[in-house]
Amino acid sequence: MDGGSIASAESTLSCARCGKPAHLHCPKCVELRLPRESAVFCSQDCFKASWSSHKTVHLKSKLSRLTASTPDEQISAALNEGWLYCLKKGQARTSKLPHFYWTGPLRQYPISSRRIVPANIDKPDWTIDGIPKIELNSDLQNVVEIKTLEQIERMRETCRIAREVLDAAARAIQPGVTTDEIDEVVHEATIAAGAYPSPLNYKFFPKSCCTSVNEVICHGIPDARRLEDGDIVNIDVTVYYKGVHGDLNETYFVGNVDEASKQLIQCTYECLEKAISIVKPGVRFREVGEVINRHATMSGFSVVKSYCGHGIGELFHCAPNIPHYARNKAVGVMKAGQTFTIEPMISAGVWRDRLWPDGWTVVTEDGKRSAQFEHTLLVTETGVEVLTARLPSSPNVFSWLKP
Ligand code: MF3
Ligand code: CO
Ligand code: CO
């Protein structure tokens, strides 16, 4: 993301990065009316260099303002209507949106009430108030953790549960099923395994998984729309178990899908496979995007730029940030013991994305279809272990994998 240009101000403050006398305020901090001392820089260079860690200050301030809700808002929330969660982000899923331009045929449908997680299940810190407090304040947003053997063992267990939950959801897919019913399968399978569905109330996300249909790139909210013959749907599952997260997704065919969509899904699958094949100690994180971009563009498709792979473990999202596009500026090299996701989103038309008024649903700008696959990976001494790998029991839904 770009920090934009910087607002000038006079003061005797010191630079948040290097400590030199500073007089430049971050424009976003000014807009959010944050205290003058909270971020001041001596130069554009220090501002730009600090941007990736500094921007969390903005998010924290926005989220903490949201929790200071009025009594009216608290009553609304207590009604438990799913779409009210979107309102908490200052967004809405209302039926009348006169000024919104829909990029494709898909429309939003009602969201069901919040599902319950039994009291005995260990929950992440956002389950009550929607705010991932530990994640936002952690040093692991800047440094890539090397996991201990004990952490790795927990990651293996959790990722296996996530895989089994995704497979259960995949088996439920057929024309006529609503994405909310898929969410129910994900929710029930997750709690049956003793795990928490990580998306539920993460930054106020209202459901237990993401379901992204046709032109939806990612973060689609499960709702009352019925899947139609010929649709494609991505299901993205993350579970929290024994203190760690496991994250994966796959894109599936609904009934009979046209040849172009099949090509798109197979190419996206191959993009992830090719990216995984280069993972080993010493490889630069920025190489991942080169490999994915090469395969996608060779097939006539484009690579989504706004959403990236991420570190994962005790935190849902942390360093490293792993873009899927070419000529990216990702820093650092892979080391044994790191765990992160790779999750390319490949679009049939343009790479640009737009956000629906619900504050979550990401769609292609031209309304053409987009597909995604995701794995959680562990860098080993010799290469990579795919922690969310398919199991012998996984449903046989991809023709190119048939024996
Ligand atoms: N599972 C998604 C990922 O791959 C994140 C979903 S966040 C949610 O990173 F809030 F939308 F669920
Ligand atoms: Co992910
Ligand atoms: Co995911």
Side-chain angles (χ1 to χ4, degrees), residues 236 238 247-249 308-310 312 316-317 341 343 374:
D236 191 338
T238 313
D247 188 7
L248 81 163
N249 73 52
C308 301
H310 52 90
I312 185 166
F316 189 173
H317 295 105
T341 74
E343 46 184 297
E374 173 177 29

Side-chain angles (χ1 to χ4, degrees), residues 61-74 88 129 131 204:
S61 121
K62 282 191 212 157
L63 287 173
S64 65
R65 279 168 207 196
L66 284 165
T67 48
S69 56
T70 64
D72 265 1
E73 284 167 338
Q74 282 163 9
K88 281 230 173 198
D129 66 1
I131 303 176
F204 311 114

Side-chain angles (χ1 to χ4, degrees), residues 131-245:
I131 303 176
K133 295 162 286 292
I134 300 171
E135 182 169 302
L136 288 166
N137 289 298
S138 174
D139 291 344
L140 297 181
Q141 295 308 337
N142 305 308
V143 298
V144 185
E145 182 177 39
I146 306 296
K147 263 74 176 178
T148 64
L149 288 176
E150 184 270 336
Q151 284 174 309
I152 290 168
E153 201 36 62
R154 285 188 284 137
M155 290 288 292
R156 284 199 183 100
E157 255 186 281
T158 302
C159 286
R160 187 192 166 98
I161 293 171
R163 161 52 68 183
E164 283 171 344
V165 169
L166 179 68
D167 288 349
R171 288 187 199 101
I173 289 177
Q174 54 168 308
V177 169
T178 68
T179 48
D180 184 64
E181 287 161 350
I182 293 171
D183 181 73
E184 188 179 2
V185 170
V186 167
H187 187 86
E188 294 304 322
T190 304
I191 63 177
Y196 181 91
S198 311
L200 185 61
N201 213 25
Y202 178 76
K203 301 180 183 175
F204 311 114
F205 188 84
K207 289 284 136 196
S208 300
C209 65
C210 300
T211 52
S212 301
V213 175
N214 299 342
E215 69 263 34
V216 180
I217 293 170
C218 64
H219 301 169
I221 303 173
D223 66 16
R225 182 183 179 276
R226 294 183 187 285
L227 292 174
E228 294 171 10
D229 185 62
D231 282 347
I232 63 171
V233 60
N234 176 280
I235 305 178
D236 191 338
V237 165
T238 313
V239 307
Y240 179 72
Y241 183 72
K242 295 198 178 172
V244 295
H245 299 271

Side-chain angles (χ1 to χ4, degrees), residues 52-119:
S52 70
S53 57
H54 172 65
K55 67 186 179 192
T56 65
V57 170
H58 310 146
L59 185 59
K60 271 185 227 169
S61 121
K62 282 191 212 157
L63 287 173
S64 65
R65 279 168 207 196
L66 284 165
T67 48
S69 56
T70 64
D72 265 1
E73 284 167 338
Q74 282 163 9
I75 290 163
S76 300
L79 289 174
N80 252 348
E81 290 290 341
W83 51 79
L84 289 172
Y85 285 86
C86 303
L87 284 175
K88 281 230 173 198
K89 284 178 52 131
Q91 309 293 333
R93 261 208 173 190
T94 59
S95 50
K96 294 198 182 69
L97 292 157
H99 302 300
F100 187 73
Y101 171 79
W102 301 94
T103 67
L106 203 74
R107 293 295 179 274
Q108 51 194 9
Y109 283 70
I111 298 168
S112 66
S113 305
R114 182 169 174 175
R115 298 189 205 283
I116 307 301
V117 180

Side-chain angles (χ1 to χ4, degrees), residues 171-387:
R171 288 187 199 101
I173 289 177
Q174 54 168 308
V177 169
T178 68
T179 48
D180 184 64
E181 287 161 350
I182 293 171
D183 181 73
E184 188 179 2
V185 170
V186 167
H187 187 86
E188 294 304 322
T190 304
I191 63 177
Y196 181 91
S198 311
L200 185 61
N201 213 25
Y202 178 76
K203 301 180 183 175
F204 311 114
F205 188 84
K207 289 284 136 196
S208 300
C209 65
C210 300
T211 52
S212 301
V213 175
N214 299 342
E215 69 263 34
V216 180
I217 293 170
C218 64
H219 301 169
I221 303 173
D223 66 16
R225 182 183 179 276
R226 294 183 187 285
L227 292 174
E228 294 171 10
D229 185 62
D231 282 347
I232 63 171
V233 60
N234 176 280
I235 305 178
D236 191 338
V237 165
T238 313
V239 307
Y240 179 72
Y241 183 72
K242 295 198 178 172
V244 295
H245 299 271
D247 188 7
L248 81 163
N249 73 52
E250 289 182 342
T251 304
Y252 304 103
F253 308 108
V254 182
N256 297 304
V257 169
D258 64 86
E259 196 52 39
S261 300
K262 284 185 186 158
Q263 291 294 320
L264 175 68
I265 293 178
Q266 183 174 351
C267 175
T268 309
Y269 184 95
E270 290 163 355
C271 282
L272 177 55
E273 289 292 291
K274 285 178 190 292
I276 292 170
S277 74
I278 68 161
V279 173
K280 64 172 188 204
V283 173
R284 290 179 166 81
F285 288 114
R286 65 168 194 245
E287 272 303 310
V288 168
E290 300 297 333
V291 170
I292 291 168
N293 183 70
R294 200 174 304 137
H295 191 60
T297 55
M298 197 182 75
S299 314
F301 301 129
S302 67
V303 181
V304 172
K305 293 180 153 187
S306 302
Y307 301 87
C308 301
H310 52 90
I312 185 166
E314 277 142 27
L315 304 177
F316 189 173
H317 295 105
C318 54
N321 185 55
I322 307 179
H324 306 296
Y325 51 89
R327 294 173 291 283
N328 69 73
K329 303 271 181 291
V331 290
V333 299
M334 299 174 190
K335 297 189 184 75
Q338 294 172 337
T339 54
F340 52 81
T341 74
I342 301 180
E343 46 184 297
M345 287 141 275
I346 307 298
S347 297
V350 299
W351 60 268
R352 284 183 196 279
D353 58 271
R354 285 171 48 110
L355 189 62
W356 273 9
D358 62 19
W360 281 109
T361 310
V362 180
V363 292
T364 57
E365 200 184 60
D366 59 6
K368 294 192 179 166
R369 291 180 169 194
S370 189
Q372 183 181 23
F373 284 85
E374 173 177 29
H375 275 305
T376 297
L377 309 169
L378 164 71
V379 184
T380 63
E381 297 295 340
T382 53
V384 61
E385 181 177 332
V386 182
L387 298 175

